[in-house]
Structure formats: C-alpha cells, structure tokens
Amino acid sequence: MYRKIVVAVEIGALANGEATFRKAASLLDSNGEIILLNVVEDVPTYLGVDIPVDLVENAARDAEDKLQRLIVATGIPARIEISHGRPASGIIASAEANKADLIILSSHMPDFSNYFIGATADRVVRHAKCSVLVDRRKG
C-alpha cells in the first residue's frame, strides 16, 4: 500500500483518468493521500500572438472544475493540484514536492513514434524518483 499517490489526469481523456483514480484508491494506505494532478501546457511563444490571453487560465479553471466533479462522482477523497508546463516535468515535480511514493498515469496505445509507452509516460518512468504505474488504456 502507498502513503501518497500522484494521479496524473489528462482532462481530454477523463474516462481514463477516472479508471486510474479508482485504481489509485485501491492501492492507497488507510491514512494515505491522493493528489489528482493536471498539467496545463503553456502556449508556445510563437503561437502567443494568435491565442486568446486567457486560454491557459480558462484551461486551468476547467481542469480544476472537472477534477472536482470527478471527486464528487467517485466519492474518493483527493487533493487537486493544477500545474503549468510540460506534462512529464510537471508530474515529476509534483511527485517530488509532495514526497509521493507512487505516480499513476494512464497511457494510450502508442504509435510508432513512441512504441513501447506514450511519450509522457516514457519520460515519467525514466526520470521519476518513486515508483510509477502506467495504466494502459485503449483509445
């Protein structure tokens, strides 16, 4: 059982995130904590002129709202964390800052450019200082 689990949720694949969240709850110690994490990617500077100013802020608010609804729908207590930047870096930074002993993230079935596991999952597995569970999902 794990004391502190970071569950990385991609808002665009919330159904996968719910399944991963439920899996985390089944692995959690009775006094443990789950951190539901979404990393909002920053807009590249070369696109900055063409993108509405509040796009990233709106994405963060939307992510927090959807994660809160996920907590209510599942009845699983968790703390929500929204960070900004590159997904793999944000996931690893959250795990380190929270002293997590497990990261769980789902990974789509990869294509040839990232055959073994998804690109984000691959980076997290390679660089995390704690255990990582990659929950393989179709779609």
Side-chain angles (χ1 to χ4, degrees):
M1 298 304 228
Y2 295 91
R3 294 177 294 97
K4 197 168 285 195
I5 302 173
V6 171
V7 179
V9 177
E10 182 182 347
I11 295 303
L14 205 51
N16 289 348
E18 180 177 348
T20 303
F21 183 32
R22 289 182 186 278
K23 185 169 284 191
S26 72
L27 297 171
L28 189 65
D29 186 63
S30 61
N31 294 323
E33 178 184 23
I34 295 175
I35 296 103
L36 273 180
L37 171 69
N38 177 257
V39 181
V40 178
E41 289 192 67
D42 293 326
V43 176
T45 53
Y46 62 87
L47 292 177
V49 174
D50 299 327
I51 302 292
V53 175
D54 58 352
L55 180 74
V56 173
E57 291 173 15
N58 289 342
R61 277 195 298 276
D62 181 55
E64 187 158 2
D65 180 54
K66 287 180 177 173
L67 292 178
Q68 188 61 47
R69 283 188 272 164
L70 180 60
I71 290 169
V72 170
T74 60
I76 301 168
R79 180 165 51 90
I80 295 172
E81 186 175 304
I82 307 294
S83 68
H84 298 272
R86 302 181 86 190
S89 299
I91 293 166
I92 292 166
S94 175
E96 289 177 5
N98 288 296
K99 296 182 173 65
D101 49 353
L102 179 66
I103 298 168
I104 300 180
L105 68 161
S106 63
S107 179
H108 62 285
M109 295 304 283
D111 58 18
F112 287 112
S113 67
N114 52 4
Y115 186 71
F116 295 107
I117 57 179
T120 298
D122 179 58
R123 287 184 188 102
V124 172
V125 167
R126 289 175 190 264
H127 300 288
K129 295 178 181 167
C130 65
S131 297
V132 179
L133 188 149
V134 178
D135 190 18
R136 175 70 75 202
R137 297 285 162 180
K138 293 182 179 179

Coordinates of all heavy atoms in Angstrom, one line a residue, residues 26-113:
S26 N -7.6 2.0 -4.7 CA -7.5 0.6 -4.3 C -6.1 0.3 -3.8 O -5.9 -0.7 -3.0 CB -7.8 -0.3 -5.4 OG -6.8 -0.3 -6.4
L27 N -5.1 1.2 -4.1 CA -3.7 0.9 -3.7 C -3.3 1.8 -2.5 O -2.1 1.7 -2.1 CB -2.8 1.2 -4.9 CG -2.9 0.3 -6.1 CD1 -2.1 0.8 -7.3 CD2 -2.5 -1.1 -5.7
L28 N -4.2 2.7 -2.1 CA -3.9 3.7 -1.0 C -3.9 3.1 0.4 O -4.9 2.4 0.7 CB -4.8 4.9 -1.2 CG -4.5 6.1 -0.3 CD1 -3.2 6.7 -0.8 CD2 -5.7 7.1 -0.4
D29 N -2.9 3.4 1.2 CA -2.9 3.1 2.6 C -4.1 3.8 3.3 O -4.6 4.8 2.8 CB -1.6 3.6 3.2 CG -1.4 3.1 4.6 OD1 -1.3 1.9 4.9 OD2 -1.4 4.0 5.5
S30 N -4.6 3.2 4.4 CA -5.7 3.8 5.1 C -5.6 5.2 5.5 O -6.5 6.0 5.6 CB -6.1 2.9 6.3 OG -5.1 2.9 7.2
N31 N -4.4 5.6 5.8 CA -4.1 7.0 6.1 C -3.4 7.8 5.0 O -2.9 8.9 5.2 CB -3.2 7.1 7.4 CG -3.9 6.5 8.6 OD1 -5.1 6.7 8.8 ND2 -3.2 5.8 9.4
G32 N -3.5 7.3 3.8 CA -2.8 7.9 2.7 C -3.6 9.0 2.0 O -4.7 9.4 2.4
E33 N -2.9 9.6 1.0 CA -3.5 10.8 0.3 C -3.3 10.6 -1.2 O -2.2 10.2 -1.6 CB -2.8 12.1 0.8 CG -3.3 13.3 0.1 CD -2.5 14.6 0.5 OE1 -1.4 14.5 1.0 OE2 -3.1 15.7 0.3
I34 N -4.3 11.0 -1.9 CA -4.2 11.0 -3.4 C -4.2 12.5 -3.8 O -5.0 13.3 -3.3 CB -5.4 10.3 -4.0 CG1 -5.4 8.8 -3.7 CG2 -5.4 10.5 -5.5 CD1 -6.6 8.1 -4.2
I35 N -3.3 12.8 -4.7 CA -3.2 14.1 -5.3 C -3.6 13.9 -6.8 O -3.0 13.2 -7.5 CB -1.8 14.7 -5.3 CG1 -1.4 15.0 -3.8 CG2 -1.8 16.0 -6.0 CD1 -0.4 14.0 -3.3
L36 N -4.8 14.5 -7.2 CA -5.2 14.5 -8.6 C -4.5 15.7 -9.3 O -4.7 16.8 -8.9 CB -6.7 14.7 -8.7 CG -7.6 13.5 -8.6 CD1 -9.1 13.9 -8.7 CD2 -7.2 12.4 -9.6
L37 N -3.7 15.4 -10.2 CA -2.9 16.4 -10.9 C -3.3 16.5 -12.4 O -3.4 15.5 -13.1 CB -1.4 16.0 -10.8 CG -0.4 16.8 -11.6 CD1 -0.3 18.2 -11.1 CD2 0.9 16.1 -11.7
N38 N -3.4 17.7 -12.8 CA -3.5 18.0 -14.2 C -2.4 19.1 -14.6 O -2.3 20.1 -13.8 CB -4.9 18.6 -14.6 CG -4.9 18.9 -16.1 OD1 -4.9 20.1 -16.5 ND2 -5.0 17.9 -16.9
V39 N -1.7 18.8 -15.6 CA -0.7 19.8 -16.1 C -1.2 20.5 -17.3 O -1.4 19.8 -18.3 CB 0.7 19.1 -16.3 CG1 1.7 20.1 -16.8 CG2 1.2 18.3 -15.1
V40 N -1.4 21.8 -17.2 CA -1.9 22.6 -18.3 C -0.6 23.1 -19.1 O 0.3 23.7 -18.5 CB -2.7 23.8 -17.8 CG1 -3.1 24.7 -19.0 CG2 -3.9 23.4 -17.0
E41 N -0.6 22.7 -20.3 CA 0.6 23.0 -21.1 C 0.6 24.5 -21.5 O -0.5 25.1 -21.8 CB 0.6 22.2 -22.4 CG 1.0 20.8 -22.2 CD 1.3 20.0 -23.4 OE1 2.3 20.3 -24.1 OE2 0.5 19.1 -23.8
D42 N 1.8 25.1 -21.4 CA 1.9 26.5 -21.8 C 1.8 26.6 -23.3 O 2.1 25.7 -24.0 CB 3.2 27.1 -21.3 CG 3.3 27.1 -19.8 OD1 2.3 27.4 -19.1 OD2 4.4 26.9 -19.2
V43 N 1.4 27.8 -23.7 CA 1.3 28.1 -25.1 C 2.7 28.5 -25.6 O 3.3 29.3 -25.0 CB 0.3 29.3 -25.4 CG1 0.2 29.6 -26.9 CG2 -1.1 28.9 -24.9
P44 N 3.1 27.8 -26.7 CA 4.4 28.2 -27.2 C 4.5 29.7 -27.6 O 3.5 30.2 -28.1 CB 4.6 27.3 -28.5 CG 3.6 26.2 -28.3 CD 2.5 26.8 -27.5
T45 N 5.6 30.3 -27.4 CA 5.7 31.7 -27.7 C 5.4 32.1 -29.1 O 4.8 33.2 -29.4 CB 7.1 32.3 -27.3 OG1 8.1 31.5 -28.0 CG2 7.3 32.2 -25.8
Y46 N 5.7 31.2 -30.0 CA 5.5 31.6 -31.4 C 4.0 31.6 -31.7 O 3.6 32.1 -32.8 CB 6.2 30.6 -32.4 CG 5.9 29.2 -32.3 CD1 4.8 28.6 -33.0 CD2 6.6 28.3 -31.5 CE1 4.5 27.3 -32.9 CE2 6.3 27.0 -31.4 CZ 5.2 26.5 -32.1 OH 4.9 25.2 -32.0
L47 N 3.2 31.0 -30.9 CA 1.7 31.0 -31.1 C 1.0 32.0 -30.2 O -0.2 32.3 -30.4 CB 1.1 29.6 -30.7 CG 1.4 28.5 -31.6 CD1 0.8 27.2 -31.1 CD2 0.9 28.7 -33.0
G48 N 1.8 32.6 -29.3 CA 1.2 33.6 -28.3 C 0.4 34.7 -28.9 O -0.6 35.1 -28.3
V49 N 0.8 35.2 -30.1 CA 0.1 36.3 -30.7 C -1.3 35.9 -31.2 O -2.3 36.7 -31.1 CB 0.9 36.9 -31.8 CG1 0.1 37.9 -32.6 CG2 2.2 37.4 -31.3
D50 N -1.5 34.6 -31.6 CA -2.7 34.2 -32.2 C -3.7 33.5 -31.2 O -4.8 33.2 -31.6 CB -2.4 33.2 -33.3 CG -1.6 33.8 -34.4 OD1 -1.7 35.0 -34.7 OD2 -0.7 33.0 -35.0
I51 N -3.3 33.4 -30.0 CA -4.1 32.7 -29.0 C -4.7 33.7 -28.0 O -4.0 34.6 -27.6 CB -3.2 31.7 -28.2 CG1 -2.5 30.7 -29.1 CG2 -4.0 31.0 -27.1 CD1 -3.5 29.7 -29.8
P52 N -5.9 33.5 -27.6 CA -6.5 34.4 -26.6 C -5.7 34.4 -25.3 O -5.2 33.4 -24.9 CB -7.9 33.9 -26.3 CG -8.2 33.0 -27.6 CD -6.9 32.5 -28.1
V53 N -5.6 35.6 -24.7 CA -4.8 35.8 -23.5 C -5.2 34.8 -22.3 O -4.4 34.3 -21.6 CB -4.8 37.2 -23.0 CG1 -4.1 37.5 -21.7 CG2 -4.3 38.2 -24.1
D54 N -6.5 34.6 -22.2 CA -7.0 33.9 -21.0 C -7.1 32.4 -21.3 O -7.7 31.7 -20.5 CB -8.3 34.5 -20.5 CG -9.3 34.5 -21.6 OD1 -9.1 34.2 -22.8 OD2 -10.5 34.8 -21.2
L55 N -6.6 31.9 -22.4 CA -6.7 30.5 -22.8 C -6.2 29.5 -21.7 O -6.8 28.6 -21.3 CB -6.0 30.2 -24.1 CG -6.1 28.8 -24.6 CD1 -7.5 28.5 -25.1 CD2 -5.1 28.5 -25.7
V56 N -5.0 29.8 -21.2 CA -4.3 28.9 -20.3 C -5.1 29.0 -18.9 O -5.3 28.0 -18.3 CB -2.8 29.3 -20.1 CG1 -2.2 28.5 -18.9 CG2 -2.1 29.0 -21.4
E57 N -5.5 30.2 -18.5 CA -6.2 30.4 -17.3 C -7.6 29.7 -17.4 O -8.0 29.0 -16.4 CB -6.5 31.9 -17.0 CG -5.3 32.7 -16.7 CD -5.5 34.2 -16.6 OE1 -6.7 34.6 -16.5 OE2 -4.6 34.9 -16.6
N58 N -8.2 29.8 -18.5 CA -9.5 29.0 -18.6 C -9.3 27.5 -18.6 O -10.1 26.8 -18.1 CB -10.2 29.4 -20.0 CG -10.8 30.8 -19.9 OD1 -10.9 31.4 -18.8 ND2 -11.0 31.4 -21.1
A59 N -8.2 27.1 -19.2 CA -7.9 25.6 -19.2 C -7.7 25.1 -17.8 O -8.1 24.1 -17.4 CB -6.7 25.3 -20.1
A60 N -7.0 25.9 -17.0 CA -6.7 25.6 -15.6 C -8.0 25.5 -14.8 O -8.2 24.6 -14.0 CB -5.7 26.5 -15.0
R61 N -8.9 26.5 -15.0 CA -10.2 26.5 -14.3 C -11.0 25.4 -14.7 O -11.7 24.7 -13.8 CB -10.9 27.8 -14.5 CG -10.5 29.0 -13.6 CD -11.4 30.1 -13.6 NE -11.6 30.7 -14.9 CZ -10.8 31.7 -15.4 NH1 -9.8 32.1 -14.7 NH2 -11.0 32.2 -16.6
D62 N -11.0 25.1 -16.0 CA -11.8 23.9 -16.5 C -11.3 22.6 -15.9 O -12.1 21.8 -15.5 CB -11.7 23.9 -18.0 CG -12.5 22.8 -18.6 OD1 -13.8 22.7 -18.3 OD2 -12.0 22.0 -19.4
A63 N -10.0 22.5 -15.8 CA -9.4 21.3 -15.3 C -9.8 21.1 -13.8 O -10.2 20.0 -13.4 CB -7.9 21.3 -15.5
E64 N -9.7 22.2 -13.1 CA -10.0 22.1 -11.6 C -11.5 21.7 -11.4 O -11.8 20.9 -10.6 CB -9.7 23.4 -10.9 CG -9.8 23.3 -9.5 CD -9.1 24.3 -8.7 OE1 -8.4 25.2 -9.3 OE2 -9.2 24.3 -7.4
D65 N -12.3 22.3 -12.2 CA -13.8 22.0 -12.1 C -14.0 20.6 -12.5 O -14.8 19.9 -11.7 CB -14.5 22.9 -13.1 CG -16.0 22.7 -13.1 OD1 -16.6 22.7 -12.0 OD2 -16.6 22.4 -14.1
K66 N -13.4 20.0 -13.5 CA -13.7 18.6 -13.9 C -13.1 17.7 -12.9 O -13.7 16.6 -12.6 CB -13.1 18.4 -15.3 CG -13.9 19.0 -16.4 CD -13.4 18.8 -17.8 CE -14.4 19.4 -18.8 NZ -13.9 19.4 -20.1
L67 N -11.9 18.0 -12.3 CA -11.4 17.1 -11.3 C -12.2 17.1 -10.0 O -12.4 16.1 -9.4 CB -9.9 17.5 -11.0 CG -8.9 17.3 -12.1 CD1 -7.5 17.8 -11.7 CD2 -8.9 15.8 -12.6
Q68 N -12.8 18.3 -9.7 CA -13.6 18.4 -8.5 C -14.9 17.5 -8.7 O -15.3 16.8 -7.9 CB -14.0 19.9 -8.3 CG -14.8 20.0 -7.0 CD -14.0 19.6 -5.7 OE1 -12.8 20.0 -5.6 NE2 -14.6 18.8 -4.9
R69 N -15.5 17.6 -9.9 CA -16.6 16.8 -10.3 C -16.3 15.3 -10.2 O -17.1 14.5 -9.8 CB -17.2 17.2 -11.6 CG -18.0 18.5 -11.5 CD -18.8 18.7 -12.8 NE -17.8 19.5 -13.7 CZ -18.0 19.6 -15.0 NH1 -19.0 19.1 -15.6 NH2 -17.1 20.3 -15.7
L70 N -15.1 14.9 -10.6 CA -14.6 13.6 -10.6 C -14.6 13.1 -9.1 O -15.0 11.9 -8.8 CB -13.2 13.4 -11.2 CG -12.6 12.0 -11.3 CD1 -13.5 11.1 -12.0 CD2 -11.2 12.1 -11.9
I71 N -14.1 13.9 -8.2 CA -14.0 13.5 -6.8 C -15.4 13.3 -6.3 O -15.7 12.3 -5.6 CB -13.3 14.6 -6.0 CG1 -11.8 14.6 -6.3 CG2 -13.5 14.4 -4.5 CD1 -11.0 15.8 -5.8
V72 N -16.3 14.2 -6.6 CA -17.7 14.1 -6.1 C -18.4 12.8 -6.7 O -19.0 12.1 -6.0 CB -18.5 15.3 -6.5 CG1 -20.0 15.2 -6.3 CG2 -18.0 16.6 -5.7
A73 N -18.2 12.6 -8.0 CA -18.8 11.4 -8.7 C -18.3 10.1 -8.1 O -19.1 9.2 -8.0 CB -18.6 11.5 -10.2
T74 N -17.0 10.0 -7.8 CA -16.5 8.8 -7.3 C -16.6 8.6 -5.8 O -16.5 7.5 -5.3 CB -15.0 8.6 -7.7 OG1 -14.3 9.7 -7.1 CG2 -14.8 8.6 -9.2
G75 N -16.7 9.7 -5.1 CA -16.7 9.7 -3.6 C -15.3 9.4 -3.0 O -15.2 9.1 -1.8
I76 N -14.3 9.5 -3.8 CA -12.9 9.2 -3.4 C -12.3 10.6 -3.0 O -12.2 11.5 -3.8 CB -12.1 8.6 -4.5 CG1 -12.7 7.2 -4.9 CG2 -10.7 8.4 -4.0 CD1 -12.1 6.7 -6.2
P77 N -11.9 10.7 -1.7 CA -11.3 12.0 -1.3 C -9.9 12.1 -2.0 O -9.1 11.2 -2.1 CB -11.1 11.9 0.2 CG -11.2 10.4 0.5 CD -12.0 9.8 -0.6
A78 N -9.6 13.4 -2.4 CA -8.3 13.7 -3.0 C -8.1 15.2 -2.9 O -9.0 16.0 -2.8 CB -8.3 13.2 -4.5
R79 N -6.9 15.5 -3.1 CA -6.5 17.0 -3.2 C -6.2 17.2 -4.7 O -5.5 16.4 -5.4 CB -5.2 17.2 -2.4 CG -4.8 18.7 -2.4 CD -3.8 19.0 -1.3 NE -2.7 18.1 -1.2 CZ -1.5 18.2 -1.8 NH1 -1.3 19.2 -2.6 NH2 -0.5 17.3 -1.6
I80 N -6.7 18.4 -5.2 CA -6.5 18.7 -6.6 C -5.2 19.6 -6.7 O -5.1 20.5 -5.9 CB -7.7 19.4 -7.1 CG1 -8.9 18.5 -7.2 CG2 -7.4 20.0 -8.5 CD1 -10.2 19.1 -7.5
E81 N -4.4 19.4 -7.7 CA -3.3 20.2 -8.0 C -3.3 20.5 -9.5 O -3.3 19.5 -10.3 CB -2.0 19.5 -7.5 CG -0.8 20.3 -7.7 CD 0.4 19.6 -7.1 OE1 0.4 19.2 -5.9 OE2 1.4 19.4 -7.8
I82 N -3.2 21.7 -9.9 CA -3.0 22.1 -11.3 C -1.7 22.8 -11.4 O -1.3 23.7 -10.7 CB -4.1 23.1 -11.7 CG1 -5.5 22.6 -11.3 CG2 -4.0 23.5 -13.1 CD1 -6.0 21.4 -12.1
S83 N -0.9 22.3 -12.4 CA 0.4 23.0 -12.6 C 0.5 23.3 -14.1 O -0.4 23.0 -14.9 CB 1.5 22.1 -12.2 OG 1.6 20.9 -13.0
H84 N 1.5 24.1 -14.5 CA 1.7 24.5 -15.8 C 3.0 24.1 -16.4 O 4.0 24.1 -15.6 CB 1.5 26.1 -15.9 CG 0.2 26.6 -15.4 ND1 -0.8 26.7 -16.3 CD2 -0.2 26.9 -14.2 CE1 -1.9 27.1 -15.6 NE2 -1.6 27.3 -14.3
G85 N 3.1 23.8 -17.6 CA 4.3 23.5 -18.3 C 4.2 22.2 -19.1 O 3.2 21.8 -19.5
R86 N 5.4 21.5 -19.2 CA 5.4 20.3 -19.9 C 4.8 19.2 -19.0 O 5.2 19.1 -17.8 CB 6.8 20.0 -20.3 CG 7.4 21.1 -21.2 CD 8.7 20.8 -21.7 NE 8.6 20.0 -22.9 CZ 9.6 19.4 -23.5 NH1 10.8 19.5 -23.0 NH2 9.4 18.7 -24.6
P87 N 4.0 18.3 -19.5 CA 3.3 17.3 -18.6 C 4.3 16.4 -17.8 O 4.1 16.3 -16.6 CB 2.5 16.5 -19.6 CG 2.2 17.4 -20.7 CD 3.4 18.3 -20.8
A88 N 5.3 15.8 -18.5 CA 6.2 14.9 -17.7 C 6.9 15.7 -16.6 O 7.0 15.2 -15.5 CB 7.2 14.3 -18.7
S89 N 7.4 16.9 -16.9 CA 8.1 17.6 -15.9 C 7.2 18.0 -14.8 O 7.6 18.0 -13.6 CB 8.7 18.9 -16.5 OG 9.6 18.6 -17.6
G90 N 6.0 18.4 -15.1 CA 5.0 18.8 -14.0 C 4.7 17.6 -13.2 O 4.5 17.7 -11.9
I91 N 4.5 16.4 -13.7 CA 4.2 15.2 -13.0 C 5.3 14.9 -12.0 O 5.1 14.6 -10.8 CB 3.9 14.0 -13.9 CG1 2.6 14.3 -14.7 CG2 3.7 12.7 -13.1 CD1 2.3 13.4 -15.9
I92 N 6.5 14.9 -12.5 CA 7.7 14.5 -11.7 C 7.9 15.6 -10.6 O 8.2 15.2 -9.5 CB 9.0 14.4 -12.6 CG1 8.8 13.2 -13.5 CG2 10.2 14.3 -11.8 CD1 9.8 13.1 -14.6
A93 N 7.7 16.8 -10.9 CA 7.9 17.9 -9.9 C 6.9 17.8 -8.8 O 7.2 17.9 -7.6 CB 7.8 19.3 -10.6
S94 N 5.6 17.4 -9.2 CA 4.6 17.3 -8.2 C 4.9 16.1 -7.3 O 4.7 16.2 -6.0 CB 3.2 17.0 -8.9 OG 2.2 16.7 -7.9
A95 N 5.3 15.0 -7.8 CA 5.7 13.8 -7.0 C 6.8 14.1 -6.1 O 6.7 13.8 -4.9 CB 6.1 12.6 -7.9
E96 N 7.8 14.9 -6.5 CA 8.9 15.2 -5.6 C 8.5 16.2 -4.6 O 8.8 16.0 -3.4 CB 10.1 15.8 -6.5 CG 10.8 14.7 -7.3 CD 11.9 15.2 -8.2 OE1 12.2 16.4 -8.1 OE2 12.4 14.4 -9.0
A97 N 7.7 17.2 -4.9 CA 7.3 18.2 -4.0 C 6.3 17.6 -2.9 O 6.4 18.0 -1.8 CB 6.5 19.4 -4.7
N98 N 5.5 16.7 -3.3 CA 4.6 16.1 -2.4 C 5.1 14.8 -1.7 O 4.4 14.2 -0.9 CB 3.3 15.7 -3.1 CG 2.5 16.9 -3.5 OD1 2.0 17.6 -2.6 ND2 2.3 17.1 -4.8
K99 N 6.4 14.5 -2.0 CA 7.0 13.3 -1.4 C 6.2 12.0 -1.7 O 6.0 11.2 -0.8 CB 7.3 13.5 0.0 CG 8.3 14.6 0.3 CD 8.7 14.7 1.8 CE 9.8 15.7 2.0 NZ 9.5 17.0 1.7
A100 N 5.7 11.9 -2.9 CA 4.9 10.8 -3.3 C 5.7 9.5 -3.4 O 6.9 9.6 -3.7 CB 4.2 11.0 -4.6
D101 N 5.1 8.4 -3.0 CA 5.8 7.1 -3.2 C 5.2 6.4 -4.4 O 5.7 5.3 -4.7 CB 5.8 6.3 -1.9 CG 4.4 6.1 -1.3 OD1 3.4 6.8 -1.7 OD2 4.3 5.4 -0.3
L102 N 4.3 6.9 -5.1 CA 3.8 6.3 -6.4 C 3.2 7.4 -7.3 O 2.5 8.3 -6.8 CB 2.7 5.3 -6.0 CG 2.1 4.6 -7.2 CD1 3.1 3.7 -8.0 CD2 0.9 3.7 -6.8
I103 N 3.4 7.3 -8.5 CA 2.8 8.1 -9.6 C 2.0 7.1 -10.4 O 2.5 6.0 -10.8 CB 3.8 8.8 -10.5 CG1 4.7 9.8 -9.7 CG2 3.1 9.5 -11.7 CD1 5.9 10.3 -10.5
I104 N 0.7 7.4 -10.7 CA -0.1 6.6 -11.6 C -0.5 7.5 -12.7 O -1.0 8.6 -12.5 CB -1.3 6.0 -10.9 CG1 -0.9 5.1 -9.8 CG2 -2.1 5.2 -11.9 CD1 -2.1 4.5 -9.0
L105 N -0.3 7.1 -13.9 CA -0.8 7.8 -15.1 C -1.3 6.8 -16.1 O -0.8 5.7 -16.2 CB 0.2 8.7 -15.7 CG 1.5 8.2 -16.3 CD1 2.1 9.3 -17.2 CD2 2.5 7.7 -15.3
S106 N -2.3 7.2 -16.9 CA -2.7 6.3 -18.0 C -1.9 6.6 -19.2 O -1.4 7.7 -19.4 CB -4.2 6.4 -18.2 OG -4.6 7.7 -18.7
S107 N -1.8 5.6 -20.1 CA -1.1 5.8 -21.4 C -1.9 5.2 -22.5 O -2.4 4.1 -22.3 CB 0.3 5.2 -21.3 OG 1.0 5.3 -22.5
H108 N -2.1 5.9 -23.5 CA -2.8 5.4 -24.7 C -2.0 4.3 -25.4 O -0.8 4.2 -25.1 CB -3.1 6.5 -25.7 CG -1.9 7.2 -26.2 ND1 -1.1 8.0 -25.4 CD2 -1.3 7.0 -27.4 CE1 -0.1 8.4 -26.2 NE2 -0.1 7.8 -27.3
M109 N -2.6 3.6 -26.3 CA -1.8 2.7 -27.1 C -1.0 3.5 -28.0 O -1.5 4.3 -28.8 CB -2.8 1.7 -27.8 CG -3.6 0.8 -26.9 SD -2.6 -0.2 -25.8 CE -2.0 -1.4 -26.9
P110 N 0.3 3.4 -27.9 CA 1.2 4.2 -28.7 C 1.3 3.9 -30.2 O 0.9 2.8 -30.6 CB 2.6 4.0 -28.0 CG 2.5 2.6 -27.5 CD 1.0 2.4 -27.1
D111 N 1.8 4.9 -30.9 CA 2.0 4.7 -32.4 C 3.5 4.4 -32.5 O 4.2 4.2 -31.6 CB 1.5 5.8 -33.2 CG 2.2 7.2 -32.8 OD1 3.2 7.1 -32.1 OD2 1.7 8.2 -33.1
F112 N 4.0 4.4 -33.8 CA 5.4 4.1 -34.0 C 6.4 5.1 -33.4 O 7.5 4.7 -33.1 CB 5.7 3.9 -35.5 CG 5.1 2.6 -36.0 CD1 4.0 2.6 -36.9 CD2 5.6 1.3 -35.5 CE1 3.5 1.4 -37.3 CE2 5.0 0.2 -36.0 CZ 4.0 0.2 -36.9
S113 N 5.9 6.3 -33.3 CA 6.9 7.3 -32.8 C 7.2 7.2 -31.3 O 8.2 7.6 -30.8 CB 6.3 8.7 -33.0 OG 5.2 8.9 -32.2

